[in-house]
Amino acid sequence: MTFSNIMDSNSYQGDSSQAGVGPLIAARARMLGPASRLFYDRPVHLVRGQGSHLFDADGASFLDAYNNVASVGHGHPHVVDAVSQQLATLNTHTRYLHGGILDYSERLLASMPAEIDQVMYACTGSEANDLALRVAEMYTGASGVIVTADAYHGNTTAVTAISPALGAATTLGKNVRTVPAPDSYRIPRAELAARFAADVAGAVDDLRGAGFGVSALVADTIFSSDGIYPDPSVLKPAVDVVRAAGGVFIADEVQPGFARTGESMWGFTRHHVIPELITMGKPMGNGLPVAAMAARSDVLKPFAVGVPYFNTFAGNAVSMAAAAAVLDVIEGERLLLNAASVGAALRRDLAHVAAGHPRIGDIRGAGLYIGVEVVADPDTKTPDRAGARWLVNALRERRVLLSVCGAAGHVLKIRPPLVFSRSDVDWFCTEFAAVLGDF
Amino acid sequence: MTFSNIMDSNSYQGDSSQAGVGPLIAARARMLGPASRLFYDRPVHLVRGQGSHLFDADGASFLDAYNNVASVGHGHPHVVDAVSQQLATLNTHTRYLHGGILDYSERLLASMPAEIDQVMYACTGSEANDLALRVAEMYTGASGVIVTADAYHGNTTAVTAISPALGAATTLGKNVRTVPAPDSYRIPRAELAARFAADVAGAVDDLRGAGFGVSALVADTIFSSDGIYPDPSVLKPAVDVVRAAGGVFIADEVQPGFARTGESMWGFTRHHVIPELITMGKPMGNGLPVAAMAARSDVLKPFAVGVPYFNTFAGNAVSMAAAAAVLDVIEGERLLLNAASVGAALRRDLAHVAAGHPRIGDIRGAGLYIGVEVVADPDTKTPDRAGARWLVNALRERRVLLSVCGAAGHVLKIRPPLVFSRSDVDWFCTEFAAVLGDF
């Protein structure tokens, strides 16, 4: 199993310093079953959050360097107020008219290229990706899908079938081909884009040979589950290959979207491509289950006309109030700019701290999506899964929360709320320096 | 297309009495595309809800006889407060420990038979059913699924494949067989259960012959999309047949669950069966996207151990606060009892109003889930789709909201919030009598 973008632990066997959480862990195992996996060797019991900080039951504060759902900050009062007020007023579905969904759609589509002119709502990124696959298939008349080798696109049956990161327990669809992610640490930069396009071309040939045709290339434009590869040159040539074969590009913006990368609201903008379909989720409602698929109307049409798709909770008045409040905060607090400047500061300071630590092989990212590659040897660049895991748990002991990604689970994934501040950077780097001292 | 449990209208062409909503409808068509379908010939623009009443932009009040999501009432202050407070405090995912999910799971499982001992969370009923299909398949080692002929179980790719109500635009899975719903209006009651079991046995033989084996019978225990058939005798013999073939029973409680039927918290209890898997959604969070799959732990185990399933928003602290508040209200306001008594009163009064109207062929239901069969002729029992549609639109003009179900879209679906009162019954019957006068 390569599902390494979780740092799970079901192996907790009791620990006197965790006396308070033992019963919680036991209750989870009993009632939630083996599917319920916790972060960290010593799980964290959280009771409160504010901005980029979380607090446990003892009042100890944690630095949140991981949660991209509470993207405008934990407990943001503007979001809380918007949701609370709308919930007290009206919360019903989209078979009635309501202004909220229209006002929001206007703003969302205005943040995208003019070609992207329609939007359908869902509750989760998984649902949005599941929908996008069906829309692409009806538009192209083909079923072949290309994803990166450690992609993760969600948890429904159909989306699991395009999520190789889930590992051996789930089987990729017969109509799915994988290509290596554009690993900017191991492949010379000058070769990255051509190699990625060539791999996609190989997958195209294979899908055509097998009779599936080419429906879509689906990619998270920061390749987060694969290991975070921010190079903005790689996608366009590959997308050209897919389009020449009749397929479309589905940009999975669940991770890079909503200002995360610091350069633009959407990750695909960095790559200078305009997708046919754009899916989004996690940060969209700052924790409320809100997701969407934006589309070119001509691409959407065959599905939308033919299939009576309805999603009960999607686009309801409260979801739209939450989503609108998130846009308000991104704009009002200039979080795109903050992601760019604080992200750059964090990468710079991390590089400073890591100097002289050869097992920190690479520090890369865009905005507040940062990967730190942990290797056994900087010459061979051998992934060090155990080392990454040790660092994550050591940081947790110092109350700094993050996790890992990459095929070998060897890349530290730093992805804090977008309100992360310069003082948070200092806090992070102080603790990172301390754990590197013991590494 | 037989997707008749919606009363959609994309045909609105402008109407001087709808001057205010014309721009909203145009904006929907432009930005949400053809998938966006509205209820009623003259769509309703809602701005506020309270209890079982909804209000439009002009302040006119509507009687809500349809929304089973806002099941404890629109804008219920206890739910609003619980969500607002939790949202301001903490809202993060289940890889950290949190008491909310454990307290709620304890209460939820306590409402079920002891055999049902574990629960996994999702955001929508579709996700819960999608998950249940995978769990059943891993447990049974078979893939064949049996559903009723006009079942609707959700909108993901996998669940669409077991939702014949979606009609010709979506293809049922090769591994899916349908059986006629137990139509208590057209089949003599004494034959209902045996005939349903025999149909299921036929589907079992067919699935085995085709090499799929039998994974699951999936049924909504009130057969809502099929036309609302409340007879409690039908499921047990059919479930016995499925179990003898190695399959499991998945009770889709999205519609009948959470006290809706007035007899018990769960629809399956009425049928005296204990499912292996139980899915739930819509009313669970009174409008917040909260869903779950409860399970026998031995059935869940192969999936839960093998597949690293994770659902970002599912079971988060706010979802659980909403769900717990819903249980509080169901218990505190005795809504199970209310559903039973008010539902019985509504059926009785409807029967009184409908007497002498031969095109009202049958009034049936359990608790506050009531179907009114509209027929062209009471002797032939020919479904009258146009008549049902006329009644729904006529009631909408009198500001009473409901919709239809059934293969021919000929059954009025009355499914109000569980706080529906005796005076709401009077309101409903007064308006129903008025429209019948013109019918």
Side-chain angles (χ1 to χ4, degrees):
Chain A
M1 183 170 111
T2 64
F3 191 50
S4 50
N5 57 349
I6 60 168
M7 273 293 299
D8 62 290
S9 171
N10 277 336
S11 58
Y12 178 79
Q13 296 296 327
D15 174 339
S16 61
S17 70
Q18 291 271 93
V21 304
L24 295 180
I25 294 171
R28 278 175 67 109
R30 174 168 55 85
M31 292 189 293
L32 309 184
S36 162
R37 294 163 175 92
L38 287 160
F39 277 160
Y40 311 121
D41 289 344
R42 289 203 317 133
V44 179
H45 178 201
L46 297 172
V47 299
R48 190 166 69 83
Q50 189 173 22
S52 50
H53 304 153
L54 290 161
F55 302 87
D56 73 7
D58 299 323
S61 59
F62 289 74
L63 179 64
D64 186 354
Y66 187 69
N67 281 289
N68 63 337
V69 171
S71 189
V72 301
H74 293 281
H76 196 293
H78 183 63
V79 180
V80 174
D81 289 350
V83 169
S84 303
Q85 284 176 33
Q86 188 58 53
L87 196 59
T89 307
L90 180 71
N91 187 28
T92 189
H93 56 75
T94 58
R95 298 233 190 258
Y96 309 123
L97 294 164
H98 192 264
I101 192 171
L102 298 172
D103 294 343
Y104 182 76
S105 299
E106 198 90 64
R107 292 175 73 181
L108 183 74
L109 292 171
S111 76
M112 295 179 173
E115 288 86 345
I116 305 296
D117 55 347
Q118 291 185 339
V119 56
M120 286 177 66
Y121 293 94
C123 297
T124 66
S126 297
E127 285 188 343
N129 281 328
D130 193 297
L131 174 61
L133 290 176
R134 295 167 70 193
V135 170
E137 190 166 329
M138 284 190 75
Y139 175 71
T140 61
S143 65
V145 178
I146 303 167
V147 294
T148 48
D150 285 279
Y152 177 72
H153 295 293
N155 59 41
T156 68
T157 304
V159 174
T160 295
I162 64 160
S163 294
L166 289 166
T170 52
T171 320
L172 287 193
K174 290 189 177 73
N175 58 324
V176 180
R177 297 294 179 276
T178 64
V179 294
D183 182 343
S184 55
Y185 178 51
R186 292 176 180 82
I187 301 168
R189 189 137 304 185
E191 297 173 26
L192 260 187
R195 199 186 291 197
F196 189 66
D199 288 336
V200 167
V204 163
D205 290 344
D206 201 28
L207 285 169
R208 285 174 148 181
F212 295 111
V214 181
S215 177
L217 168 68
V218 186
D220 155 6
T221 61
I222 192 128
F223 303 97
S224 47
S225 176
D226 288 280
I228 308 171
Y229 301 114
D231 193 295
S233 70
V234 297
L235 266 174
K236 191 166 187 319
V239 169
D240 289 344
V241 168
V242 168
R243 286 187 178 144
V248 301
F249 172 46
I250 300 174
D252 181 343
E253 292 280 345
V254 169
Q255 297 281 344
F258 291 101
R260 167 64 51 186
T261 65
E263 291 178 36
S264 52
M265 270 291 277
W266 307 108
F268 62 80
T269 310
R270 299 175 60 247
H271 289 266
H272 304 290
V273 288
I274 299 175
E276 280 83 357
L277 297 166
I278 301 163
T279 57
M280 63 207 81
K282 290 194 197 302
M284 189 169 178
N286 212 48
L288 264 76
V290 187
M293 179 196 67
R296 264 179 32 200
S297 52
D298 61 316
V299 176
L300 179 56
K301 192 173 182 183
F303 176 87
V305 169
V307 179
Y309 181 92
F310 179 65
N311 188 316
T312 299
F313 301 126
N316 72 30
V318 168
S319 295
M320 293 293 93
V326 166
L327 288 189
D328 291 343
V329 178
I330 289 175
E331 293 163 12
E333 300 186 11
R334 305 181 72 182
L335 293 183
L336 181 62
L337 192 64
N338 193 66
S341 63
V342 174
L346 179 52
R347 288 197 298 280
R348 186 194 60 223
D349 291 0
L350 277 173
H352 183 74
V353 167
H357 290 279
R359 290 166 68 196
I360 302 301
D362 193 27
I363 295 167
R364 58 182 179 255
L368 279 167
Y369 215 127
I370 297 173
V372 175
E373 180 115 16
V374 185
V375 293
D377 178 318
D379 295 324
T380 61
K381 301 184 176 179
T382 310
D384 184 357
R385 181 189 186 90
R389 188 177 179 101
W390 185 90
L391 284 168
V392 166
N393 278 299
L395 282 163
R396 175 261 175 266
E397 293 303 320
R398 301 185 79 92
R399 301 204 299 270
V400 172
L401 303 180
L402 73 168
S403 188
V404 294
C405 59
H410 65 295
V411 180
L412 305 184
K413 179 161 61 168
I414 304 172
R415 192 190 55 177
L418 297 182
V419 293
F420 214 63
S421 68
R422 295 287 179 131
S423 72
D424 291 332
V425 169
D426 293 343
W427 181 350
F428 188 93
C429 289
T430 300
E431 300 301 341
F432 194 62
V435 299
L436 281 184
D438 295 327
F439 188 50
Chain B
M1 183 170 111
T2 65
F3 190 51
S4 51
N5 58 350
I6 59 169
M7 273 293 299
D8 61 291
S9 170
N10 276 336
S11 57
Y12 178 80
Q13 297 295 328
D15 174 341
S16 61
S17 70
Q18 291 271 92
V21 304
L24 295 180
I25 294 172
R28 279 176 66 110
R30 174 169 55 86
M31 294 190 291
L32 308 185
S36 164
R37 294 163 175 92
L38 288 161
F39 276 160
Y40 310 120
D41 289 345
R42 291 202 318 134
V44 179
H45 177 202
L46 297 173
V47 300
R48 190 166 69 83
Q50 189 173 20
S52 50
H53 305 153
L54 290 161
F55 303 87
D56 73 7
D58 299 322
S61 59
F62 289 75
L63 179 64
D64 186 354
Y66 187 68
N67 282 289
N68 62 338
V69 171
S71 188
V72 302
H74 293 282
H76 196 292
H78 183 63
V79 180
V80 174
D81 289 350
V83 169
S84 303
Q85 285 176 32
Q86 188 58 53
L87 196 59
T89 307
L90 181 71
N91 187 27
T92 189
H93 56 74
T94 58
R95 298 232 189 260
Y96 309 122
L97 295 163
H98 193 266
I101 192 172
L102 299 172
D103 294 343
Y104 182 74
S105 300
E106 198 90 65
R107 292 175 72 180
L108 183 73
L109 292 171
S111 77
M112 294 179 173
E115 289 84 346
I116 305 296
D117 54 346
Q118 291 187 336
V119 56
M120 287 176 66
Y121 292 94
C123 298
T124 65
S126 296
E127 286 189 343
N129 281 328
D130 193 297
L131 175 60
L133 289 176
R134 296 167 70 193
V135 170
E137 189 166 331
M138 285 191 73
Y139 175 71
T140 61
S143 65
V145 178
I146 302 166
V147 294
T148 48
D150 285 279
Y152 177 73
H153 296 292
N155 58 42
T156 68
T157 304
V159 173
T160 295
I162 64 161
S163 294
L166 289 166
T170 52
T171 320
L172 287 193
K174 290 189 178 70
N175 58 325
V176 180
R177 296 294 178 277
T178 63
V179 293
D183 183 342
S184 54
Y185 178 51
R186 292 175 180 82
I187 302 169
R189 189 138 302 185
E191 296 173 26
L192 261 187
R195 198 185 292 196
F196 190 66
D199 288 337
V200 168
V204 162
D205 289 345
D206 200 29
L207 285 169
R208 285 175 148 179
F212 295 111
V214 180
S215 178
L217 168 68
V218 186
D220 156 5
T221 61
I222 192 128
F223 303 97
S224 46
S225 176
D226 287 280
I228 309 172
Y229 301 114
D231 192 295
S233 70
V234 297
L235 266 173
K236 192 166 187 317
V239 169
D240 289 344
V241 168
V242 167
R243 286 187 177 145
V248 302
F249 172 46
I250 301 173
D252 181 343
E253 292 281 344
V254 168
Q255 298 279 346
F258 291 102
R260 169 62 52 186
T261 64
E263 292 178 37
S264 52
M265 270 291 278
W266 307 108
F268 62 80
T269 310
R270 300 175 59 247
H271 289 265
H272 305 289
V273 289
I274 299 174
E276 280 82 358
L277 297 165
I278 302 163
T279 57
M280 63 207 82
K282 290 194 197 301
M284 190 171 177
N286 213 48
L288 265 76
V290 186
M293 178 196 66
R296 262 178 33 198
S297 52
D298 61 315
V299 176
L300 179 56
K301 192 173 182 184
F303 176 88
V305 169
V307 179
Y309 181 93
F310 180 65
N311 188 317
T312 299
F313 301 125
N316 73 29
V318 168
S319 296
M320 294 292 94
V326 167
L327 288 189
D328 291 344
V329 178
I330 290 174
E331 293 163 12
E333 300 186 13
R334 306 181 74 182
L335 293 183
L336 181 62
L337 192 64
N338 193 68
S341 63
V342 175
L346 180 52
R347 287 197 298 282
R348 185 195 60 222
D349 290 0
L350 278 173
H352 183 75
V353 168
H357 290 278
R359 290 166 69 196
I360 302 301
D362 193 27
I363 295 167
R364 57 182 180 255
L368 280 167
Y369 216 127
I370 297 173
V372 175
E373 180 114 17
V374 185
V375 292
D377 178 317
D379 296 324
T380 61
K381 300 183 175 179
T382 309
D384 184 357
R385 182 189 185 90
R389 190 177 177 101
W390 186 89
L391 284 169
V392 167
N393 278 299
L395 282 164
R396 174 260 176 268
E397 293 302 322
R398 302 185 78 93
R399 299 204 300 271
V400 172
L401 304 179
L402 73 167
S403 188
V404 293
C405 59
H410 65 295
V411 180
L412 305 184
K413 180 161 60 168
I414 304 172
R415 192 190 54 178
L418 298 182
V419 292
F420 213 65
S421 67
R422 294 287 179 131
S423 72
D424 291 332
V425 170
D426 293 343
W427 181 351
F428 188 94
C429 289
T430 300
E431 300 302 340
F432 194 63
V435 300
L436 281 184
D438 295 328
F439 188 51

